[in-house]
Amino acid sequence: MLERLQRDAVDVPRAARALVVERAAEIGREDLADDAALVVSELVTNAMLHGGGCRSVDVTACDGGLRIQVRDHSAVPPVFGHASEESLTGRGVRVVNRLATRWGGDAEPDGKVVWAEVTGDHGPSHAASSGDILADWADDWSDAAERQLFHIELGDVPTDLLLAAKSHVDNVVREFALAAAGAEAGITAALPPDLASLVAVVDRFADARLSIKHQALEATRRGKPTARLALDLPAEAADAAVEYLAALDEVDAYCRAMRLLTLETPPQHKVFRHWYIGELVTQLRAAASGSAAPPVQAFERRLLVELDRVAAAQRASMRAARLYSVASALASAGTPEAVTSAVLNEGVAALGASGGGVLLSGPGGGLSVSSAVGYDEAIVERLGQETPDDQLPAAMALRTGEPVWLESRAERDRRFPDLATFEATTVALCAVPLEVEGRRLGSLRFSFTEPRLFDEDERRFVLALAAQTAQALDRSQLQRARVEVSNRLQRSLLPPRLPVIPGLEVAAMYHPFGDGVEIGGDFYDVWPIDTGRWAIAIGDAAGTGPEAAALTALVRHTLRALTMSSADPEWVVRALNTALWNSASEDDDDDRFCTALFGVVSIGECTEVKVAGGGHPPVFVRRGDGQLETKIVGGSLLGVFPDIEVGLVEVGMEAGDAVLLLTDGVLEARCRGAQFEIDGVLEVLGRAGGTARAMTDDLQAAVLAHTDGVLTDDMAAVVLRAGGR
């Protein structure tokens, strides 16, 4: 006999099989070894999974074979499992019933003993049903414990649902037992403490769980589509049921996180579980206290309640998804028109509206249609003529700050008779103000061709949509205003127009970076010095924003002022450096430096360009015959030190020759880490059109194509091209 076996000892089935083989050899019935080994394996496994652990295994000789006895800690009889692909438990008893000549069980004070006789002669028990066999034991099990039981009637439940739900829980229990056994033997990792505690909780509700399974199996045996649940339970089962329900809900969290092999409880199983346990607890506690219990809620009624909840959740989920879609669309909407278009497309679809529009307050006090969806041209035109004082829904919402909800044609005609003249097919309508921080920006309206009852959920959705719209509109309008201010300031830092220089074509380009809000430090300028001489300058002031704008203006105007004293490029650059150095105070933390090229173009028998500079990119030359030259100017950054080195280059120009000056925004333009660089400039110059304008246009297009249209720095360029004489 194998005695005092540990509940989770993984070697118990192996030791039991070895004992059976040994006993079979002793009585000379080796032919029974395989069947007997399989029977003992199933009985031991059943004890470990469903009987609270195996207490002992005894194998003795009987008339014609072997008698196997397995003791466990539970008084609950073994259960015939329902054969299905989902259920992993309960099949062992069927195997025993098939292989044993006779088998049965006896209740004991501390559990039960399940026995089987294997003789090789498959007896009449094979024809018996699970109900017949378990019925033979009924009296024994009922006497196993002297407890007061209360009879609870829960009503009819679909048999297939009952079986599937119980099979799912059995699979969870089986996985718990196997995991615990593996952890005990050191084969698998230890169970987390909180998960191990769930195993004990599930075990405490085993009586009720197995009783329900018996009823489901009996209904299946009789071919009944429904099983009528009736339970006889002690009062303490109510507390065990509450803990059991909480434990299984927590187990589902492990399943969702894929910490278990068993899948999460299907929704219909969860509804059933919460229904029957909730009703069981209510009825059992009332019966135990002697008070009258409320009527049991039928399972069909619970399903209808759950269906209503699911429908409400779906509506809320759909609207939440719509609001999320709106928020995502608004995140990338950079203009008021993009904002209102995104909101209307999502709002019309979510509400099932026939049309929608956004009317915004204009600078002159009127209203303008920012966007419209689903309205014909006549309605859009009429909306565009609306004023804040009109007795129309959108105007009233804007004027009063209160939403307008029209739910029928009668209400429409009573409150807004003018609406029928241009929107005759509209039966219901809502209009809500677009308000942010106490400022009303406009109104959002939706039209419907059928009567519409705006419930609280729908009204909250429309108001949330309006709130998102107002926030995004305010942001986009502010962005547009900032861009306009930045553009005006940037234009003020560049010459309004380039001068006409006899014998030369002059062209320039400037392109801002980012969204156009920040002001860059790049600049260019061309101006006359005296007869036959012209100044040309290009530079890059440090930083961005107002500081860069101030420094750019200082450099431009200083250069122009210096040329009134001298036209020597080297002197002018040194004088500019001194001016920048002297303009910085000791407490000034801003970087006040720049790179620059300053040149003087002399027009005479031949055209000469003399360029001085500090720290700036080179000068590029394209000769009339197509040859390309790169002339490094060199020199120091301007404004950093009181004394600097100044670079100087000279270029003689003949007919067709071109000189290109540019900023580092061109050379350092990036695409996936690769810069445009000098080679990119030379490639463009080699294929660009013959005019100065064609060269600047082709250079700008090439840089934007290289960066996919996204610049991280502004860029500027100036081209001088000698014409024919």
Side-chain angles (χ1 to χ4, degrees):
M1 178 184 293
L2 300 177
E3 296 180 340
R4 296 182 298 277
L5 298 173
Q6 296 298 317
R7 170 180 176 173
D8 297 324
V10 75
D11 61 340
V12 173
R14 182 171 62 247
R17 287 193 295 270
L19 179 61
V20 164
V21 172
E22 180 183 341
R23 292 290 188 269
E26 289 176 357
I27 66 172
R29 290 299 304 270
E30 289 87 348
D31 57 307
L32 300 179
D34 290 342
D35 285 355
L38 187 53
V39 168
V40 78
S41 294
E42 295 299 341
L43 292 181
V44 168
T45 300
N46 188 77
M48 295 172 65
L49 291 177
H50 307 295
C54 181
R55 291 191 295 127
S56 67
V57 178
D58 189 19
V59 183
T60 60
C62 69
D63 187 15
L66 296 173
R67 180 182 175 88
I68 301 168
Q69 297 184 108
V70 176
R71 287 179 170 80
D72 60 37
H73 297 270
S74 173
V76 179
V79 179
F80 275 80
H82 176 64
S84 71
E85 293 182 357
E86 293 80 14
S87 179
L88 301 177
T89 65
R91 298 173 181 174
V93 178
R94 293 184 176 276
V95 172
V96 172
N97 189 49
R98 177 65 61 184
L99 297 178
T101 305
R102 295 188 313 125
W103 72 283
D106 301 306
E108 296 185 340
D110 51 358
K112 67 177 177 292
V113 57
V114 180
W115 55 266
E117 294 180 354
V118 180
T119 65
D121 180 14
H122 296 170
S125 66
H126 303 288
S129 69
S130 60
D132 295 334
I133 294 174
L134 295 177
D136 293 339
W137 296 353
D139 293 339
D140 293 336
W141 305 127
S142 63
D143 295 336
E146 296 180 359
R147 297 178 294 177
Q148 182 182 6
L149 303 181
F150 297 93
H151 185 72
I152 307 297
E153 294 273 354
L154 297 180
D156 292 338
V157 176
T159 304
D160 55 353
L161 172 63
L162 199 57
L163 281 173
K166 302 316 294 178
S167 293
H168 181 85
V169 174
D170 286 346
N171 291 343
V172 172
V173 174
R174 178 186 179 88
E175 183 170 354
F176 278 170
L178 294 176
E184 180 73 18
I187 297 174
T188 59
L191 284 175
D194 50 350
L195 186 57
S197 67
L198 298 181
V199 180
V201 171
V202 172
D203 283 348
R204 284 196 292 273
F205 196 62
D207 288 356
R209 188 165 52 83
L210 292 176
S211 178
I212 291 175
K213 181 185 288 188
H214 289 157
Q215 295 176 66
L217 291 170
E218 178 62 19
T220 301
R221 186 179 70 84
R222 297 179 181 274
K224 292 183 176 182
T226 60
R228 189 163 189 81
L229 288 186
L231 301 171
D232 294 301
L233 297 171
E236 60 267 20
D239 293 336
V242 173
E243 295 177 355
Y244 171 75
L245 182 62
L248 287 187
D249 286 345
E250 190 170 345
V251 167
D252 275 340
Y254 280 88
C255 296
R256 281 193 299 272
M258 293 184 291
R259 305 291 179 85
L260 296 174
L261 297 177
T262 306
L263 298 178
E264 182 183 2
T265 303
Q268 61 271 31
H269 296 185
K270 188 174 293 187
V271 171
F272 163 69
R273 187 169 71 213
H274 279 256
W275 166 77
Y276 94 79
I277 290 181
E279 293 297 327
L280 184 151
V281 170
T282 299
Q283 299 296 318
L284 190 56
R285 285 178 173 168
S289 65
S291 59
V296 174
Q297 182 188 49
F299 184 57
E300 291 85 351
R301 177 59 186 165
R302 178 58 176 266
L303 289 178
L304 293 177
V305 172
E306 291 296 329
L307 183 61
D308 288 342
R309 291 177 181 173
V310 169
Q314 286 178 334
R315 290 193 299 270
S317 176
M318 182 273 291
R319 286 171 182 162
R322 289 289 184 185
L323 288 175
Y324 177 79
S325 297
V326 170
S328 298
L330 294 182
S332 58
T335 65
E337 294 77 16
V339 168
T340 54
S341 177
V343 169
L344 289 178
N345 285 329
E346 293 292 341
V348 166
L351 296 169
S354 58
V358 174
L359 278 66
L360 299 181
S361 299
L367 297 177
S368 63
V369 180
S370 176
S371 292
V373 173
Y375 294 138
D376 59 31
E377 293 182 3
I379 294 179
V380 174
E381 182 179 357
R382 177 61 183 84
L383 290 176
Q385 299 170 359
E386 195 167 331
T387 70
D389 297 326
D390 285 341
Q391 290 302 308
L392 291 170
M396 178 171 285
L398 174 61
R399 187 169 60 251
T400 65
E402 296 295 328
V404 175
W405 310 99
L406 303 178
E407 299 185 331
S408 66
R409 181 180 280 109
E411 187 177 12
R412 179 202 71 180
D413 294 343
R414 177 176 58 83
R415 296 182 59 186
F416 301 98
D418 293 342
L419 192 62
T421 62
F422 70 91
E423 202 172 347
T425 60
T426 292
V427 175
L429 185 146
C430 64
V432 294
L434 299 174
E435 189 171 4
V436 58
E437 296 180 355
R439 294 178 290 111
R440 295 179 199 144
L441 309 180
S443 298
L444 172 65
R445 74 193 309 272
F446 293 104
S447 301
F448 305 85
T449 56
E450 296 178 354
R452 184 72 166 227
L453 297 179
F454 298 100
D455 59 28
E456 287 302 315
D457 286 342
E458 198 159 63
R459 293 188 182 203
R460 281 196 296 267
F461 172 75
V462 174
L463 293 174
L465 199 62
Q468 284 191 335
T469 305
Q471 292 285 346
L473 268 175
D474 186 52
R475 186 171 60 250
S476 65
Q477 289 175 343
L478 178 60
Q479 178 82 349
R480 174 173 285 181
R482 292 178 62 193
V483 170
E484 290 175 353
V485 169
S486 295
N487 287 341
R488 287 197 297 270
L489 181 54
Q490 191 73 65
R491 286 194 297 270
S492 71
L493 300 176
L494 301 173
R497 65 183 64 85
L498 293 173
V500 176
I501 302 178
L504 285 180
E505 296 176 29
V506 184
M509 73 87 173
Y510 173 82
H511 198 289
F513 68 98
D515 54 12
V517 174
E518 288 291 350
I519 303 169
D522 286 10
F523 70 91
Y524 64 85
D525 202 359
V526 181
W527 68 95
I529 298 176
D530 52 32
T531 302
R533 290 195 301 178
W534 301 79
I536 179 172
I538 192 168
D540 182 3
T544 59
E547 295 79 9
L551 183 56
T552 299
L554 173 64
V555 172
R556 273 195 67 216
H557 294 302
T558 299
L559 285 172
R560 283 190 171 233
L562 289 172
T563 57
M564 298 174 66
S565 300
S566 172
D568 176 47
E570 185 175 356
W571 181 87
V572 169
V573 170
R574 291 188 183 279
L576 173 62
N577 179 73
T578 300
L580 292 176
W581 175 260
N582 291 335
S583 68
S585 65
E586 293 183 358
D587 298 331
D588 193 352
D589 293 331
D590 295 332
D591 293 328
R592 297 180 63 81
F593 66 87
C594 73
T595 68
L597 294 178
F598 171 76
V600 175
V601 182
S602 301
I603 308 266
E605 290 296 325
C606 63
T607 299
E608 289 185 349
V609 181
K610 183 181 293 186
V611 180
H616 203 76
V619 174
F620 297 88
V621 180
R622 188 177 84 170
R623 298 299 179 180
D625 60 4
Q627 292 186 14
L628 303 176
E629 300 173 11
T630 302
K631 296 186 176 293
I632 306 298
V633 181
S636 306
L637 287 174
L638 306 180
V640 178
F641 303 105
D643 297 317
I644 60 169
E645 294 182 3
V646 177
L648 185 66
V649 297
E650 297 183 18
V651 179
M653 299 181 65
E654 298 181 356
D657 291 348
V659 174
L660 166 66
L661 284 65
L662 49 75
T663 60
D664 61 3
V666 174
L667 302 181
E668 296 175 1
R670 293 176 178 273
C671 176
R672 291 178 289 277
Q675 295 185 345
F676 195 70
E677 296 185 335
I678 291 176
D679 289 343
V681 175
L682 294 176
E683 194 275 331
V684 172
L685 283 181
R687 59 175 170 77
T691 66
R693 171 54 56 197
M695 293 181 195
T696 56
D697 289 347
D698 288 353
L699 180 61
Q700 178 174 254
V703 174
L704 293 176
H706 177 74
T707 62
D708 294 329
V710 180
L711 295 179
T712 57
D713 193 6
D714 54 344
M715 62 179 181
V718 179
V719 172
L720 304 175
R721 182 179 178 277
R725 289 189 292 271

